[in-house]
Amino acid sequence: MPWFPAVKCFSTADQTPNHQAYHPIRDSPGQMQIHPVPSQRGDLSEGRIIVMHRAIGSLFLAILAAAGCWRVLSFTPAVTAASAGDDVVAVSSGKWLWQGVGSCAASACHGGGNPSRKQSEYTTWINQDPHARAYQVLFDERSRRIVRNLDGPGAQPPEKRALCLHCHAMNVPATEQARTFTIQDSIGCERCHGPAEKWRTVHYLPEWQQQSAAAKESLGLRPTKDLLARAKLCVECHVGSAEADVNHDLIAAGHPRLNFEYGSYLAVLPKHWSERDEKTRYPDFEARAWAVGQVVCARAALELLASRADAPADGGKPWPEFAEYNCVSCHRDLRAWNGRQNRPEQPALGILHWGDWYVSALPDALSLQKSKDNPELEDNLRKLAEEMQKPLPDRISIAQQAHAAAAQLNAWVTRTDQARYDDPVLLQQLLATIVQRERAPRTDWDQAAQRYLAGAALYHALGDLNPRYRDPRLKASIQSMGKQLRFPKGHDSPR
Amino acid sequence: MPTTPRFKQLFSAGFLSLTVVAASLTVTHKQQVVAQPGAEKDDIWKTGKFDGASFCMTCHTYPSARDEESGTLDLVLMTEYAIWKTHDKHAQAYAVLEGPRSAQMARLLGLPSEALTKEPAGCLNCHAMNYVGKREGQEFKITEGVSCGGCHGPSEKWGTPHARKEWRTRSAEQKQREGMRDLRDPVVRAELCVSCHVGNAAEGKVVTHAMFAAGHPPLPPVEIATFSRNEPQHWRDAHDVPHFQKNSDNQEVTRNYHLENLEYQRTKFALVGSLVALREMMKLAVDRAGLNRDLAPPAAWPELLLPQKGIDARDADQIRKAVPHYWPEIALAHSDCFACHHDLKYPGYRQERGFGYPLASRPLIRVAPGRPLVRTWPLTLPEAGVRWAGPRNQLDDLAKHLNALAAACSARPYGTPEAVGTAAGRLAQWSDEALAELKKTGYTSDTVLPLLTSLCDLFDGERKPATVLDYEGARQVASLLQVAYEEWQTQATKAGGLRKNQDAAVQKVLHALQQEFNLQPYSQRQARLQVIMEDVVQEIAGRKQLKGLQEFSAYTEDIGNPKRLRDLRKNDFLMTLSRDVGPEAFTKQLKKPEVVDKLQKLGNLELDQALASVANYDPERFRGHLKELRKNLPASPTRKP
């Protein structure tokens, strides 16, 4: 998928196994400029040059800033307070000790030096994967400034704050840390694969391969090969949750905005697994990842909204929560005539627009399913938007509606996961609709970006189904959608 | 209307300056420092009639020989009407309501376009003198925008007598009792200016966030000395007025015309005005929070009366009850525009600056990041002024009240009306007390130099932790520096104590500040004059190639120069304006769609320029300017006034 937005976050020259502090601006070429980046996935088609736009650069910064954590399925690690009166909340397995990345890193195990082969998983992670620096960024000037802006000069440092550690490290209670464990491991192996106490010494034995996924899970190994399980894992930090809430206070203080899109994040993540195997497992990988991602992200976003609204009216979370709104609906240089006043449909004047990053492409994703109608969901989303766009949205009704809409998505999550994405006509139709829609006058950046990402995913999906599929004109128009999303020099937002 | 010199003479004496800003009527606030006449029932300020500008035009268009002989020009320029009518945007304030921007606003607000020029919409409260059918005097025309009476007061009782020489001997209080506003009092003038340029809920002068969203330009920070200069002034600075020069020892004249600190009038106006602006900004928040029980709805909350809200304008209770529900929308109207409305940049200066109310002499009074705040620019100069002139503990009180306001805004976005209103009320009261101090202060060369240096010291970033000002706060500082230095420089030159190279360096910095903060008169003035000349005056007079506009315009920029004034006696343009172009015909022509369109386009250019200067603001560059300035100011004794 060579022309998917991609960022080269770390060159091999920037290998810092000793966790030298990572500086997102200095070290991420993606943030500040357009960079031709060699494809992470050279296995598909012609172009090896990826034009990176800064928009996605900031998506990627979000990866850095809030790396993977999870809380899913039956073995969901519970979030517990480490001790009374202590601000630190840890992610806990409740059952098993966490071993730390050191136990995986032996060169004969996962620390092999050839990234194109198996057994190089640790090597890829430590050298290329931003998750490996998640903890270290807490020590850089940007992070210090964030806490200073939140709490003043004597602010508690980021590495002592549960909110930060929740996503920037494996914040497990001391009682669950093996002697080899260290918090400096950032988002290490076990954060995604599960605490390894019970499976570390057996998972390389021949008979392990014979075990069922459920049996492995019962020992703490998580099914990360499963696209849905993986998505659920990503969203807790990358979309956010009650405990990992990147709200507007935090963003204003200097934290990047979170705008996660599963398919494209997967595309740009340096893989420590075989993409060929993944394609074999999922012949419809691109469309599936996109569709599953849309639904899982939307559900997580609605649950996050519910948790924001559900907090006690005073002393709890800020309300209205500005992070729920479209950034650019306010953050825009004013101009004498900015064209906004000429938009055909005018919501109430000067009212913040509820952000639709997580729901604008949702109907498209749902349209790929056999069962198409979901009037209640649409109705709920419309009501939510309506209430959110009142000057003072009612917390109780927002919480109820958001919970209800999230619950309605449960069925769609299952459907999306069970569906097959092998009908090229259906995919082609949707792609045509999306590209066509892009020509409509004025969409906001979030919608346009989601359309571009959907368009790119669907184009690649057609390639999944037919390796000889080519449509240069269509491809060019999708690429031009991407180009239009670039920010002007020095900007972190569209103009 | 007879225009003979004899008639003219009748009216030629004490007509003081028409001033800045818009129409306001009685000012009846409780926290008034200078008591405006206004308590009595049939008080002239509540019932007096306003004469139209045509009434004033007869005399105040160009100086006649007789004006000079009679000594009228010693006090008055007699060109006031002409300057206002041709150069001053106040004269076009009504016309813009019929322009394309207003049409768009009406459409978006869900109002018929003609509604904007009708009384209930409230636009006329600032864009004209909203007294149709009630207090119309001779030749009153609402279409004349913010005309003479809007600032000078209802002329029913003083229209004729003020032309007599005897009028000069009356005290300011006596004149105010007759309905003539005492505009040489900085507090009175500032209150008048900010009633529109900041807002005044009691007078129904409120620009709501919906209006801004529909296209109303943002209200820039106000510093009245510079505002007046850019208007442009149709009056001379006090030290240029011969009558004042001749009577500098005369206590009665000094008292009547507020001539204490004659050489530093503009500095005083800027500083005193800044406290009035702070007070009125806070009072606006109090009133709009619904805490002022004397305030009768609906005028204070135009946003609640928009058709889509479905609130009955006659039902005061219903309106009051709606306030908490719509508080975020109400609060946005008095929040910092550019705190939210800016392109996102990284790295950007805001994260470096921190979030809260900046007091330069103390650590930032922090608010949770990213919260809308009651506009912060009115704070900048009062702090500097009080720190310079006031008792030290006044700043402790200021910090205390700001902490309460900050806590209100931190507790939840926008705060609650009660919490914000209560804290704002204390700040309004504080301003009032500080105002009393600052008004008494002596403004002399010995004290103004320390003011200049202390402004630099406060904001040049050398103090740690450094205060990072927003564009609007920085603009206030730049504005005061410009005003105070100009006056100080004049005195220093007279005293022979100014080093030329240092002065040149300072002027260079001030010029850069003027450009960067858009402090010069509006940029399209020449193009506007062209429109007035060609599409209005020449059109009506039926004459081409009128002479004298350039000369007249140059005079407005050098208005203290007696020779330029004398030269206007035979000015072709002014004579035509007076003889052949009646105000009514002028206004009618001004309202023609093609003229309105042209002026609107120029207005848009000016607005874009102003907004670009906001977007291009760089605090580091600003601090660099102050450092440079500080370096070139003479060493000053740290003498307080």
Side-chain angles (χ1 to χ4, degrees):
Chain A
M1 193 163 45
W3 51 270
F4 229 147
V7 187
K8 193 178 87 170
C9 263
F10 303 98
S11 68
T12 43
D14 190 36
Q15 294 172 8
T16 48
N18 56 352
H19 301 306
Q20 172 196 323
Y22 166 75
H23 189 287
I25 297 310
R26 186 192 62 218
D27 298 343
S28 162
Q31 174 67 7
M32 304 311 289
Q33 50 207 313
I34 315 279
H35 255 248
V37 180
S39 168
Q40 306 285 354
R41 304 173 59 184
D43 54 336
L44 275 185
S45 81
E46 62 287 351
R48 297 283 162 132
I49 299 300
I50 297 166
V51 176
M52 151 59 205
H53 56 74
R54 297 182 49 253
I56 305 302
S58 55
L59 293 188
F60 213 77
L61 261 188
I63 296 190
L64 304 173
C69 86
W70 74 91
R71 200 163 58 106
V72 276
L73 303 180
S74 54
F75 56 92
T76 299
V79 174
T80 56
S83 61
D86 189 347
D87 182 33
V88 174
V89 176
V91 175
S92 161
S93 72
K95 288 186 192 172
W96 305 289
L97 292 185
W98 297 62
Q99 308 296 305
V101 298
S103 66
C104 319
S107 60
C109 299
H110 297 290
N114 188 341
S116 62
R117 299 243 180 94
K118 285 194 174 180
Q119 301 190 331
S120 63
E121 294 81 0
Y122 168 83
T123 314
T124 303
W125 171 82
I126 193 73
N127 286 334
Q128 296 179 36
D129 191 330
H131 290 105
R133 274 83 172 164
Y135 181 74
Q136 278 64 40
V137 300
L138 297 181
F139 293 88
D140 68 21
E141 181 45 36
R142 180 178 185 150
S143 302
R144 306 274 135 178
R145 193 161 55 221
I146 291 173
V147 296
R148 217 163 41 232
N149 281 334
L150 287 170
D151 291 334
Q156 201 178 30
E159 72 275 13
K160 295 254 181 348
R161 289 169 172 248
L163 177 65
C164 306
L165 291 174
H166 200 91
C167 290
H168 283 265
M170 300 185 286
N171 192 18
V172 296
T175 51
E176 290 172 26
Q177 297 176 3
R179 278 197 306 135
T180 47
F181 178 90
T182 160
I183 190 114
Q184 296 189 9
D185 285 345
S186 290
I187 302 300
C189 317
E190 290 164 292
R191 187 79 195 216
C192 300
H193 294 283
E197 182 187 5
K198 294 293 180 204
W199 53 266
R200 181 173 65 87
T201 53
V202 293
H203 75 289
Y204 47 78
L205 301 175
E207 50 271 37
W208 180 258
Q209 300 298 325
Q210 316 304 320
Q211 299 283 325
S212 70
K216 292 175 184 171
E217 272 190 58
S218 68
L219 292 177
L221 181 75
R222 310 190 53 183
T224 48
K225 287 193 171 70
D226 181 273
L227 262 184
L228 172 60
R230 201 191 299 167
K232 290 175 178 171
L233 209 146
C234 301
V235 294
E236 188 174 332
C237 282
H238 286 279
V239 174
S241 63
E243 302 79 26
D245 186 350
V246 179
N247 67 8
H248 189 260
D249 288 0
L250 199 51
I251 297 170
H255 194 287
R257 165 203 183 188
L258 301 189
N259 47 353
F260 183 65
E261 201 280 321
Y262 184 50
S264 56
Y265 268 54
L266 275 183
V268 298
L269 183 73
K271 311 292 180 302
H272 55 261
W273 60 88
S274 160
E275 293 189 83
R276 191 173 306 165
D277 290 355
E278 188 144 273
K279 289 271 179 185
T280 312
R281 207 158 43 242
Y282 295 115
D284 54 1
F285 177 82
E286 299 289 354
R288 171 178 295 275
W290 173 71
V292 167
Q294 286 297 325
V295 184
V296 173
C297 287
R299 185 175 63 177
L302 288 164
E303 278 165 0
L304 176 61
L305 170 59
S307 78
R308 286 166 169 172
D310 233 351
D314 278 313
K317 297 191 164 195
W319 190 261
E321 172 49 60
F322 294 140
E324 282 291 333
Y325 296 87
N326 183 310
C327 309
V328 185
S329 92
C330 302
H331 291 306
R332 207 170 193 199
D333 281 351
L334 298 177
R335 266 166 264 181
W337 297 98
N338 62 17
R340 288 182 162 205
Q341 284 90 5
N342 296 328
R343 280 181 302 201
E345 91 297 349
Q346 277 290 339
L349 284 169
I351 293 300
L352 286 71
H353 296 230
W354 187 40
D356 59 2
W357 175 259
Y358 290 112
V359 293
S360 75
L362 185 61
D364 292 331
L366 300 188
S367 76
L368 287 177
Q369 312 307 324
K370 297 264 173 341
S371 149
K372 290 198 194 301
D373 296 329
N374 200 336
E376 293 92 13
L377 177 63
E378 276 172 34
D379 200 39
N380 256 330
L381 290 177
R382 199 178 48 246
K383 277 194 213 146
L384 263 177
E386 217 167 84
E387 185 65 35
M388 285 297 285
Q389 285 169 197
K390 288 182 179 166
L392 193 57
D394 181 60
R395 293 184 94 137
I396 295 169
S397 67
I398 290 289
Q400 284 167 352
Q401 281 164 23
H403 273 309
Q408 279 160 353
L409 277 171
N410 288 338
W412 285 103
V413 169
T414 314
R415 256 175 240 156
T416 313
D417 185 45
Q418 288 168 355
R420 293 167 58 122
Y421 302 83
D422 54 1
D423 178 355
V425 178
L426 194 60
L427 296 182
Q428 231 151 3
Q429 274 171 356
L430 179 58
L431 179 51
T433 318
I434 286 170
V435 173
Q436 191 60 40
R437 213 185 294 149
E438 186 56 25
R439 301 209 180 99
R442 292 212 70 81
T443 48
D444 67 42
W445 189 91
D446 281 11
Q447 289 171 2
Q450 281 285 6
R451 272 180 208 168
Y452 162 65
L453 294 172
L458 291 167
Y459 186 86
H460 289 303
L462 289 165
D464 278 350
L465 299 179
N466 172 10
R468 296 171 64 185
Y469 170 77
R470 298 280 184 283
D471 187 340
R473 279 186 62 187
L474 185 59
K475 181 174 162 180
S477 63
I478 299 172
Q479 282 174 321
S480 105
M481 285 160 72
K483 280 187 194 134
Q484 285 165 21
L485 295 168
R486 290 178 193 161
F487 300 152
K489 194 165 180 288
H491 280 242
D492 229 3
S493 60
R495 298 206 78 182
Chain B
M1 205 64 199
T3 53
T4 58
R6 181 182 302 173
F7 184 85
K8 208 173 163 187
Q9 195 188 12
L10 244 163
F11 287 87
S12 59
F15 199 114
L16 289 182
S17 37
L18 266 162
T19 319
V20 211
V21 175
S24 109
L25 231 198
T26 348
V27 190
T28 53
H29 297 126
K30 289 192 162 167
Q31 292 160 341
Q32 212 77 353
V33 164
V34 174
Q36 290 266 6
E40 313 92 74
K41 258 191 180 163
D42 55 348
D43 148 25
I44 185 86
W45 290 92
K46 287 187 179 157
T47 58
K49 289 190 172 144
F50 291 88
D51 298 312
S54 327
F55 182 79
C56 314
M57 179 198 84
T58 333
C59 302
H60 292 274
T61 304
Y62 67 96
S64 66
R66 200 178 280 269
D67 290 333
E68 189 163 7
E69 289 153 21
S70 65
T72 302
L73 297 186
D74 269 4
L75 182 60
V76 197
L77 294 166
M78 305 312 281
T79 55
E80 294 82 2
Y81 167 83
I83 296 177
W84 167 79
K85 193 74 177 171
T86 57
H87 281 62
D88 190 330
K89 283 192 192 176
H90 289 106
Q92 296 158 18
Y94 178 92
V96 298
L97 293 182
E98 297 189 352
R101 183 176 288 273
S102 300
Q104 169 199 274
M105 284 183 63
R107 176 173 59 78
L108 293 172
L109 289 164
L111 304 169
S113 61
E114 63 275 13
L116 302 195
T117 52
K118 299 282 182 299
E119 194 200 336
C123 308
L124 293 174
N125 292 343
C126 285
H127 282 266
M129 296 150 63
N130 204 359
Y131 310 123
V132 177
K134 285 176 284 189
R135 302 174 59 188
E136 297 174 60
Q138 300 177 57
E139 298 175 60
F140 177 86
K141 296 275 178 315
I142 187 112
T143 51
E144 285 178 328
V146 180
S147 66
C148 318
C151 300
H152 291 280
S155 46
E156 184 181 359
K157 287 194 183 167
W158 55 263
T160 306
H162 86 284
R164 302 188 193 120
K165 232 170 186 166
E166 167 272 331
W167 187 259
R168 293 186 190 183
T169 61
R170 299 214 196 171
S171 72
E173 290 75 24
Q174 284 172 321
K175 290 174 188 169
Q176 287 223 128
R177 270 198 296 277
E178 302 292 304
M180 183 188 256
R181 187 173 274 117
D182 184 17
L183 290 169
R184 288 200 184 267
D185 180 323
V187 176
V188 173
R189 191 194 299 180
E191 276 167 355
L192 178 74
C193 297
V194 302
S195 75
C196 285
H197 288 270
V198 167
N200 185 317
E203 295 172 13
K205 296 170 175 176
V206 178
V207 187
T208 66
H209 192 247
M211 293 184 204
F212 288 127
H216 193 291
L219 299 178
V222 189
E223 184 277 277
I224 59 169
T226 303
F227 255 52
S228 298
R229 178 66 63 89
N230 290 348
E231 192 184 0
Q233 280 179 211
H234 50 253
W235 65 95
R236 288 170 285 209
D237 291 334
H239 54 76
D240 288 334
V241 177
H243 181 64
F244 299 157
Q245 291 164 345
K246 288 175 197 163
N247 291 288
S248 60
D249 300 335
N250 183 329
Q251 286 193 357
E252 196 180 277
V253 173
T254 302
R255 199 172 50 242
N256 288 349
Y257 292 96
H258 306 280
L259 300 177
E260 314 81 13
N261 321 119
L262 183 68
E263 308 303 342
Y264 287 96
Q265 291 266 307
R266 296 184 70 231
T267 305
K268 184 172 178 178
F269 270 90
L271 267 182
V272 171
S274 76
L275 267 158
V276 174
L278 176 60
R279 187 186 74 194
E280 296 304 310
M281 175 60 74
M282 292 303 155
K283 233 156 63 178
L284 185 66
V286 175
D287 288 351
R288 301 250 296 155
L291 300 195
N292 180 359
R293 287 279 140 193
D294 301 335
L295 189 65
W301 296 282
E303 58 271 81
L304 299 183
L305 306 181
L306 288 173
Q308 55 275 36
K309 296 271 195 326
I311 295 172
D312 183 353
R314 291 158 304 181
D315 188 341
D317 262 5
Q318 197 189 0
I319 292 173
R320 282 195 185 283
K321 279 184 192 141
V323 168
H325 192 66
Y326 288 100
W327 177 243
E329 185 181 351
I330 294 167
L332 282 176
H334 59 237
S335 299
D336 270 330
C337 309
F338 303 108
C340 302
H341 293 303
H342 58 82
D343 283 352
L344 299 173
K345 290 179 185 167
Y346 197 88
Y349 76 85
R350 292 177 173 85
Q351 278 76 32
E352 192 58 48
R353 169 204 63 187
F355 295 83
Y357 285 99
L359 278 189
S361 52
R362 306 170 176 235
L364 179 71
I365 294 175
R366 291 185 317 98
V367 178
R371 302 293 175 82
L373 299 181
V374 183
R375 290 181 81 172
T376 50
W377 66 259
L379 205 59
T380 314
L381 295 187
E383 185 204 1
V386 167
R387 193 170 172 276
W388 167 71
R392 283 279 159 179
N393 59 4
Q394 257 179 349
L395 278 185
D396 295 337
D397 291 342
L398 177 62
K400 193 175 80 191
H401 301 323
L402 280 173
N403 267 310
L405 188 57
C409 296
S410 281
R412 58 186 261 190
Y414 311 102
T416 59
E418 298 72 34
V420 169
T422 307
R426 299 219 174 90
L427 281 158
Q429 204 174 345
W430 177 89
S431 316
D432 228 12
E433 289 154 15
L435 194 50
E437 289 288 332
L438 209 59
K439 244 195 124 199
K440 293 194 300 224
T441 293
Y443 295 78
T444 64
S445 293
D446 280 354
T447 61
V448 169
L449 185 58
L451 172 67
L452 286 164
T453 52
S454 97
L455 272 171
C456 296
D457 290 343
L458 273 176
F459 299 109
D460 67 4
E462 297 286 294
R463 302 166 65 92
K464 298 293 173 213
T467 294
V468 181
L469 287 178
D470 273 342
Y471 171 84
E472 295 190 324
R475 186 176 193 258
Q476 293 296 82
V477 173
S479 198
L480 177 58
L481 282 170
Q482 191 177 278
V483 169
Y485 184 78
E486 186 191 292
E487 291 188 322
W488 181 83
Q489 188 252 20
T490 309
Q491 297 311 309
T493 309
K494 271 189 205 159
L498 190 68
R499 286 178 36 196
K500 274 211 170 125
N501 56 342
Q502 283 187 330
D503 180 50
V506 171
Q507 297 289 3
K508 200 174 148 201
V509 175
L510 289 177
H511 182 74
L513 287 171
Q514 188 188 56
Q515 297 296 313
E516 281 166 32
F517 290 97
N518 199 35
L519 287 168
Q520 68 280 35
Y522 42 91
S523 64
Q524 302 303 312
R525 176 167 287 164
Q526 287 314 314
R528 283 175 178 277
L529 285 175
Q530 201 69 20
V531 175
I532 297 292
M533 173 85 157
E534 287 171 8
D535 298 288
V536 180
V537 179
Q538 288 184 175
E539 194 69 26
I540 300 169
R543 285 177 55 200
K544 294 282 166 206
Q545 306 296 323
L546 274 181
K547 285 185 199 127
L549 176 61
Q550 287 307 323
E551 187 193 3
F552 176 52
S553 202
Y555 150 78
T556 66
E557 284 164 30
D558 186 15
I559 203 157
N561 185 334
K563 183 178 177 306
R564 283 193 194 269
L565 178 63
R566 226 174 293 126
D567 290 348
L568 291 178
R569 271 168 41 183
K570 298 238 167 64
N571 186 289
D572 189 24
F573 177 77
L574 294 184
M575 310 254 289
T576 309
L577 190 68
S578 165
R579 258 197 322 254
D580 309 332
V581 184
E584 207 169 332
F586 191 110
T587 306
K588 206 173 144 200
Q589 191 66 22
L590 193 66
K591 284 173 56 196
K592 288 225 163 121
E594 61 273 22
V595 179
V596 170
D597 268 0
K598 276 188 189 175
L599 291 174
Q600 180 73 75
K601 285 203 179 92
L602 295 171
N604 292 341
L605 276 175
E606 287 159 358
L607 180 55
D608 264 332
Q609 190 184 38
L611 293 171
S613 75
V614 180
N616 297 330
Y617 169 62
D618 174 3
E620 196 53 49
R621 193 171 55 215
F622 170 68
R623 292 193 296 224
H625 287 319
L626 295 199
K627 276 179 213 154
E628 181 65 22
L629 195 66
R630 178 74 179 89
K631 215 168 66 192
N632 286 292
L633 287 173
S636 81
T638 45
R639 173 124 46 120
K640 292 187 60 140

